[in-house]
Amino acid sequence: MPEPRGKVLPIAFYRRDTELVTRELMGKLLCRRMPDGSVLRLRLTELEAYVGPHDKACHASRGKTPRTAVMFEPGGVFYVYLCYGMHWMLNIVTAGKDYPAAILVRGVEGMSGPGRVTKHLAVDRALNARPVRKTCGLWVEDDGIHISDTQIERTPRIGIGYAGEYWINQPLRFVLDTVR
């Protein structure tokens, strides 16, 4: 019996307002083709929005650097970086060219913590700047599950104490109620 599949989200999906894309990604399936050819499909349950160059918690708030250059590309590519020298962080770049914004994948159904997610999915820097498409082995599908606004809690982001009180308190972390 064939495995269930959803519709792969088009690149244009990501080239819109970051908060809107974050909201609409909730409940979608993050899919990863593993080395043995199998495909893991994990429901997105926790995401954080980094909304542009004015967002003091966004890596690109200090301008374009070799590390953040990918965030200045049009939405629909991955921004992958190493945190604390040991955990890969998976982000999806959003919005348009030269407007650096992204969404951090913090959790999937049954698993919370961005480092745990990337380890489980064998995500590393090799995916940095790659398109969110099946061709790179990591993509997002819509399997038709509807997530209502009442199923999502919006809270401040985690671990951004350096960003200043205003940005610390912005409700840019989206959590599906099944993980609360």
Side-chain angles (χ1 to χ4, degrees):
M1 180 183 247
E3 60 190 39
R5 294 179 188 192
K7 179 182 174 189
V8 176
L9 296 180
I11 293 296
F13 174 89
Y14 306 100
R15 294 181 179 169
R16 303 178 297 141
D17 174 78
T18 305
E19 283 188 68
L20 176 64
V21 174
T22 306
R23 164 60 189 94
E24 291 181 5
L25 276 175
M26 293 300 294
K28 301 289 188 275
L29 298 171
L30 181 61
C31 306
R32 177 71 162 141
R33 182 163 309 283
M34 301 306 286
D36 66 1
S38 66
V39 174
L40 293 178
R41 286 181 167 79
L42 305 169
R43 197 159 308 279
L44 291 164
T45 58
E46 186 179 355
L47 302 168
E48 283 184 354
Y50 291 83
V51 297
H54 60 287
D55 178 347
K56 298 300 181 198
C58 180
H59 286 174
S61 67
R62 294 185 181 162
K64 192 174 189 178
T65 67
R67 176 183 177 183
T68 64
V70 67
M71 293 184 73
F72 289 81
E73 294 300 317
V77 296
F78 293 111
Y79 167 44
V80 181
Y81 66 91
L82 194 60
C83 184
Y84 303 125
M86 65 171 98
H87 300 294
W88 292 105
M89 300 288 112
L90 176 65
N91 297 261
I92 299 173
V93 174
T94 59
K97 184 166 180 57
D98 295 325
Y99 189 85
I103 300 165
L104 171 65
V105 176
R106 289 199 63 85
V108 294
E109 196 166 36
M111 185 178 306
S112 186
R116 288 186 185 112
V117 172
T118 56
K119 185 174 182 180
H120 184 70
L121 294 175
V123 168
D124 61 22
R125 186 149 179 88
L127 286 166
N128 191 53
R130 301 289 310 274
V132 185
R133 304 298 298 157
K134 275 184 150 181
T135 54
C136 82
L138 185 64
W139 68 96
V140 179
E141 292 180 359
D142 181 352
D143 66 346
I145 299 294
H146 174 73
I147 304 296
S148 71
D149 287 340
T150 61
Q151 292 175 274
I152 298 172
E153 179 182 10
R154 290 186 63 166
T155 72
R157 295 172 290 189
I158 296 171
I160 60 163
Y162 57 86
E165 187 174 342
Y166 176 81
W167 289 105
I168 288 170
N169 293 313
Q170 292 304 300
L172 294 172
R173 178 174 165 249
F174 294 65
V175 184
L176 196 58
D177 70 356
T178 60
V179 298
R180 282 190 260 155

